[in-house]
Amino acid sequence: MNSFKLLLLAVICSIAIDPVLHAQTTAIPIETKNVAIVLQTDKNNHLKIVHTGRALASATDYETAAAAYRLTSQGANLNNAAYTVAGINNNFVEPAIAVVHADGNNSLDLVYEKQRMTTTPEGATLTVVTLKDAVYPFYVDLCFKAWKNEDVIEQWTEIRHTEKGKVTLNKYASANVYLFDDRFYLTSYNGNWAKEMQPELTQLKQGMHTIESRLGTRENLIGTQNFMLAMDQPATETTGTVLMGQLAWNGNYSIQFETDTYKKMHLVAGINPWQSAYELKPGSRFETPKFIYTISFNGTGTGSRNLQRWLRNYQLLDGKGERLTLLNNWEATYFNFDQNKLVDLFKGAKDLGVDLFLLDDGWFGNKYPRNSDNAGLGDWQENKKKLPDGIPYLVNEAGKQGIKFGIWIEPEMVNPKSELYEKHLDWVLREEKRPEIYFRNQMVLDLTNPEAQDFVFGVVDNLFKKNPSLAFIKWDCNAPIFNGHSKYLEKNKLPQSHLYVEYTRGLEKVLQRIRAKYPKVPMMLCSGGGGRTDYTLLKYFTEFWLSDDTDPLERVFIQWNYSYYYPAIAMCNHVTEWGKQPLKYRVDVASMGKLGFDIKANDLKPEDKAFCQQAIKNYNGFKDIVWHGDLYRLKNPYENDMASLMFVNKERTKSVVFNYLTNWRYVGDAALDPVKLQGLDPAKKYKIKELNVYGNQKPGFDESKVYSGDYLMNIGFNPNINLRRPSVVLSVEAL
Ligand code: DGJ
């Protein structure tokens, strides 16, 4: 045979044996406006991911996508499986699922069975693809909810079986994703108390990189489940392809980034299987949490606006609504107050012009008064010495002053020095045979136990029953699960390895009951600072506390980092005494979200008070744009001596621009560079005014000038930031 004929034969053979090109396959596109994930069966009926990226104009084009890549080397031909399994030997990558069947066999081979597509009442497309084990009656439904306009995808699985006994799930991820690019840049977030959301950029190389939590509660204490993964090159605000999102689970999470032998990305996201093998009875169903993400092809700005819009429209409680400005007493008094002092603070709150007074920690406990953090937690009765007339008196007094009243609770926790601990030791998570371990002198209640759930629900319910006009709750959670043993699971002969999952589910049950009865009362999610920020809990909370670090300079960075994943309406920022910056700087930073104060309002100097009063009025004037508008991050403080961020309303007629000096070394009087605005209408004419000018200072520029949107977005505007004007807030309005 001559060489030409040999070559021809090889081509014919490769076509004949190439399963992807020629077997009867099923292609399942999951699409939003700009993003598509395409699944397709191979000749063995294994479901593969054949495209993750831009939606194509013609859906039939997806059918040949699989053939474009040669992911067929032996032992690595399942790397792009739609749901990777442990237990068939030709899967070389990290499994999304690992099980032991009722008969003790631990193999799994999932093949495509069927799919269905529906439209949800809110207009999302729900695709459910059923996979079945080739031998066992064991099923996995892969679920995809695609939000067209927001380019957001929610992905999770539902696992079920009809085997003769329990199946043990050793791993049960929500999703795996396969990305076909060649280089990956991960931004993940480390942290600790008062240091939340510290970004870390890592170029991922072949092998495994994991972000995870094992803390049980307060899962974001040392890292978060938010991440962004840029493809081919690091993304900027306006350029690059980037996947951004989080695992929406208030508990132990694990997100694994495996760069495989093809240098492609196999990403597995789910509940952390650590200490969490789950026994699933026949006929029951295990629903995993949602892995929620967007893919932007125009950098992180578009990506975060997608996530923010989606949260406001469909996830965050009352995301399209209003919020209350407030004065909190935590840093003004700590545990040291009584009812007279509080009533005095109400006057300060009213005088400032905020909507609500928020009473923080320290109001409860009698046998063990809550005068420090080592006693009283769990005993939710007013301390008679501090508050002889109880909470109703305070609510009433606040009402008389014309402000609303809110209260702090931490209902999942208990101090060993408490009546709750004495009466209900079996409700406390603890290892009976070992010494107790404390975090902030406290322990965690066992929310796997329905009685403990009732108790936690009762804390909120009793407060509302006695105080129907209570207007706000701050729900704190300061301790991780250190003593991971449940008496309830033990008594009911359930495995201790269910604890972390059932705790999280137990908490959600309580919150569901609270919201069924009190659907809209604003509640702030707080966790010893920003220890809890997952999207699932935000279904029950209107806002969250980002960090106890309120140093305004550090806060610029913290708020910047959170802003990639959350809308400003959900982000609580308080003006406090932290930091060396002037009061104006602190107020300007806190105004870039949901504004609050935690200061001794009555002790403010007259000019400071007058400034705050005016700043609150200004905030009330532009809050609607901050809460419901689009955010553009204009100047990155990690790359410049300043940060600049702007919010624009839907009509592109009104905008607020926040500018902060972030490098306090000598910058003299020379103003920094102009800032190029975004999101305006190039054809419209705008006027710029300076807001929050302190005392009798004058605006730093001529306010009568008119600029085109085109000019402001291409030449920019110089807010004239310098050491004497370290923060400048601008209002940009169309004529
Ligand atoms: C931690 C919170 O982050 C603070 O704001 C405050 O509420 C304290 N707990 C109270 O103990």
Side-chain angles (χ1 to χ4, degrees):
M1 227 187 274
N2 66 31
S3 60
F4 173 72
K5 278 191 179 153
L6 256 176
L7 183 68
L8 195 67
L9 186 68
V11 171
I12 292 166
C13 286
S14 84
I15 291 172
I17 59 167
D18 187 334
V20 179
L21 280 174
H22 296 285
Q24 191 61 26
T25 59
T26 307
I28 309 168
I30 287 122
E31 285 186 304
T32 63
K33 203 192 304 170
N34 296 297
V35 178
I37 294 160
V38 184
L39 311 176
Q40 193 171 26
T41 50
D42 67 11
K43 65 156 185 193
N44 297 317
N45 221 13
H46 287 135
L47 192 66
K48 305 278 189 63
I49 301 166
V50 297
H51 175 65
T52 311
R54 270 186 206 276
L56 302 182
S58 161
T60 50
D61 285 351
Y62 294 131
E63 277 163 29
T64 48
Y69 292 95
R70 296 282 161 184
L71 308 178
T72 49
S73 89
Q74 206 169 17
N77 60 351
L78 287 175
N79 287 17
N80 61 329
Y83 200 54
T84 46
V85 295
I88 46 170
N89 296 332
N90 63 344
N91 173 32
F92 275 18
V93 289
E94 179 66 22
I97 184 164
V99 308
V100 180
H101 295 282
D103 64 3
N105 180 289
N106 66 357
S107 67
L108 193 60
D109 182 13
L110 294 175
V111 290
Y112 171 78
E113 194 177 75
K114 60 179 179 192
Q115 59 152 317
R116 74 188 146 82
M117 205 191 265
T118 48
T119 304
T120 70
E122 313 102 315
T125 310
L126 175 66
T127 308
V128 179
V129 185
T130 302
L131 307 179
K132 183 192 169 298
D133 184 79
V135 177
Y136 289 87
F138 182 91
Y139 304 84
V140 178
D141 290 330
L142 305 181
C143 307
F144 301 83
K145 211 185 215 186
W147 297 90
K148 187 168 177 204
N149 293 329
E150 293 76 14
D151 278 331
V152 167
I153 294 174
E154 293 177 64
Q155 215 176 311
W156 72 101
T157 59
E158 293 180 18
I159 304 169
R160 63 202 156 88
H161 70 92
T162 52
E163 296 188 21
K164 293 226 162 63
K166 288 175 196 154
V167 170
T168 305
L169 309 179
N170 283 323
K171 189 169 184 189
Y172 34 91
S174 299
N176 62 236
V177 171
Y178 198 75
L179 300 168
F180 294 81
D181 299 80
D182 291 327
R183 277 172 300 279
F184 297 93
Y185 299 85
L186 173 72
T187 305
S188 56
Y189 300 88
N190 302 323
N192 207 331
W193 177 76
K195 267 193 193 154
E196 289 85 345
M197 285 298 273
Q198 307 293 317
E200 188 95 62
L201 179 69
T202 315
Q203 182 176 1
L204 301 178
K205 298 285 171 69
Q206 192 170 335
M208 181 66 89
H209 185 104
T210 304
I211 55 177
E212 64 176 345
S213 170
R214 301 173 180 202
L215 301 177
T217 52
R218 203 178 170 175
E219 79 277 2
N220 295 157
L221 178 64
I222 51 179
T224 84
Q225 65 278 72
N226 299 306
F227 74 92
M228 57 176 97
L229 187 66
M231 295 162 230
D232 282 335
Q233 57 193 12
T236 70
E237 276 300 293
T238 50
T239 62
T241 302
V242 58
L243 184 153
M244 301 167 68
Q246 67 155 244
L247 184 83
W249 180 244
N250 163 53
N252 294 344
Y253 60 84
S254 157
I255 307 176
Q256 297 172 295
F257 302 86
E258 183 175 8
T259 312
D260 72 6
T261 173
Y262 304 113
K263 308 272 187 290
K264 310 274 174 267
M265 176 57 60
H266 166 61
L267 187 164
V268 183
I271 292 176
N272 195 334
W274 174 77
Q275 294 277 64
S276 293
Y278 200 92
E279 288 183 0
L280 192 65
K281 288 193 217 125
S284 53
R285 174 182 277 269
F286 188 100
E287 185 174 328
T288 65
K290 292 178 169 101
F291 177 52
I292 299 171
Y293 60 96
T294 183
I295 298 179
S296 157
F297 306 99
N298 311 306
T300 48
T302 300
S304 56
R305 284 187 291 280
N306 290 346
L307 291 173
Q308 290 161 358
R309 267 188 220 130
W310 175 80
L311 276 150
R312 283 196 308 259
N313 290 341
Y314 307 110
Q315 187 81 358
L316 173 70
L317 184 74
D318 205 17
K320 296 180 188 165
E322 299 279 306
R323 297 293 185 270
L324 301 166
T325 54
L326 59 82
L327 176 71
N328 189 193
N329 71 311
W330 175 237
E331 294 189 16
T333 65
Y334 292 105
F335 297 97
N336 180 18
F337 57 81
D338 61 20
Q339 69 184 30
N340 295 333
K341 203 167 181 179
L342 293 177
V343 172
D344 222 34
L345 292 174
F346 296 167
K347 291 190 192 114
K350 178 66 189 166
D351 207 17
L352 271 185
V354 294
D355 303 317
L356 175 125
F357 180 85
L358 170 61
L359 172 58
D360 214 284
D361 197 354
W363 57 268
F364 48 88
N366 285 297
K367 182 170 173 191
Y368 302 102
R370 180 76 171 167
N371 291 329
S372 77
D373 61 18
N374 70 5
L377 210 49
D379 301 345
W380 298 103
Q381 299 77 35
E382 295 97 324
N383 177 280
K384 296 226 164 66
K385 248 193 185 162
K386 288 181 186 172
L387 308 178
D389 298 314
I391 302 294
Y393 169 79
L394 294 176
V395 177
N396 198 29
E397 286 299 307
K400 279 196 212 154
Q401 303 272 353
I403 53 165
K404 295 176 196 281
F405 183 86
I407 201 160
W408 176 98
I409 52 172
E410 193 182 2
E412 298 157 74
M413 302 284 157
V414 61
N415 281 130
K417 269 197 199 165
S418 70
E419 293 182 70
L420 179 69
Y421 181 93
E422 288 172 351
K423 282 190 204 139
H424 290 291
L425 197 55
D426 57 331
W427 291 358
V428 181
L429 288 176
R430 56 196 288 278
E431 295 276 9
E432 272 170 354
K433 298 182 190 134
R434 300 181 191 279
E436 292 176 349
I437 309 170
Y438 307 125
F439 191 103
R440 207 195 188 206
N441 308 309
Q442 66 194 54
M443 301 175 79
V444 182
L445 292 181
D446 181 4
L447 290 198
T448 71
N449 184 340
E451 284 179 21
Q453 290 172 17
D454 287 347
F455 172 79
V456 174
F457 171 76
V459 173
V460 177
D461 196 33
N462 291 336
L463 277 168
F464 280 123
K465 276 195 205 143
K466 289 192 198 139
N467 307 284
S469 55
L470 190 67
F472 189 89
I473 299 256
K474 174 178 177 183
W475 182 304
D476 207 346
C477 160
N478 283 286
I481 295 179
F482 267 7
N483 309 270
H485 186 92
S486 154
K487 196 80 194 160
Y488 175 79
L489 292 176
E490 184 190 303
K491 272 192 190 154
N492 289 281
K493 303 209 169 11
L494 289 162
Q496 290 297 325
S497 58
H498 286 199
L499 171 62
Y500 292 111
V501 169
E502 294 305 345
Y503 183 93
T504 306
R505 287 178 170 170
L507 175 63
E508 208 177 332
K509 277 186 203 153
V510 172
L511 291 165
Q512 278 161 357
R513 282 170 71 186
I514 291 172
R515 284 315 182 185
K517 195 157 176 192
Y518 309 103
K520 275 211 168 170
V521 182
M523 294 212 297
M524 181 206 286
L525 176 59
C526 170
S527 182
R532 273 180 169 173
T533 61
D534 72 278
Y535 292 167
T536 296
L537 282 195
L538 291 179
K539 284 198 293 193
Y540 309 99
F541 290 85
T542 47
E543 53 218 84
F544 70 95
W545 183 232
L546 284 61
S547 172
D548 280 346
D549 181 357
T550 48
D551 175 313
L553 179 55
E554 293 186 10
R555 194 80 178 189
V556 169
F557 291 83
I558 291 179
Q559 292 176 204
W560 176 275
N561 292 322
Y562 274 110
S563 79
Y564 287 103
Y565 307 93
Y566 305 90
I569 189 170
M571 294 176 18
C572 300
N573 305 315
H574 293 177
V575 177
T576 71
E577 295 296 329
W578 285 46
K580 298 191 189 93
Q581 289 67 32
L583 178 70
K584 168 176 159 53
Y585 192 97
R586 290 184 264 145
V587 173
D588 288 352
V589 173
S591 297
M592 202 175 57
K594 214 222 75 170
L595 175 65
F597 291 78
D598 196 345
I599 49 171
K600 293 184 177 132
N602 293 332
D603 299 351
L604 284 172
K605 287 188 285 184
E607 58 273 34
D608 282 349
K609 193 202 276 181
F611 170 76
C612 289
Q613 287 167 331
Q614 185 55 45
I616 292 168
K617 282 192 191 127
N618 293 343
Y619 180 79
N620 287 335
F622 63 65
K623 65 188 180 188
D624 193 51
I625 309 171
V626 172
W627 293 347
H628 303 117
D630 277 335
L631 167 71
Y632 294 86
R633 283 175 297 265
L634 307 173
K635 277 213 185 262
N636 184 336
Y638 290 96
E639 294 162 2
N640 297 282
D641 289 336
M642 64 180 287
S644 182
L645 302 94
M646 76 186 273
F647 296 86
V648 189
N649 70 352
K650 279 188 202 75
E651 297 75 25
R652 299 196 281 170
T653 52
K654 285 186 182 177
S655 152
V656 207
V657 189
F658 296 91
N659 306 279
Y660 311 105
L661 183 70
T662 52
N663 183 346
W664 293 71
R665 288 197 322 266
Y666 181 71
V667 285
D669 275 349
L672 299 168
D673 284 344
V675 178
K676 287 180 188 159
L677 307 191
Q678 292 182 42
L680 300 177
D681 181 341
K684 282 200 164 74
K685 301 274 184 230
Y686 295 88
K687 261 191 164 180
I688 303 187
K689 278 198 173 143
E690 183 168 348
L691 302 174
N692 292 1
V693 179
Y694 188 89
N696 49 17
Q697 287 177 356
K698 296 275 164 295
F701 48 86
D702 175 4
E703 292 185 323
S704 66
K705 276 187 89 170
V706 174
Y707 308 84
S708 69
D710 192 24
Y711 178 92
L712 292 174
M713 293 195 288
N714 290 299
I715 306 286
F717 180 82
N718 200 321
N720 291 332
I721 294 266
N722 58 38
L723 280 176
R724 285 173 298 109
R725 290 166 51 80
S727 67
V728 173
V729 181
L730 306 171
S731 140
V732 181
E733 284 202 22
L735 298 184

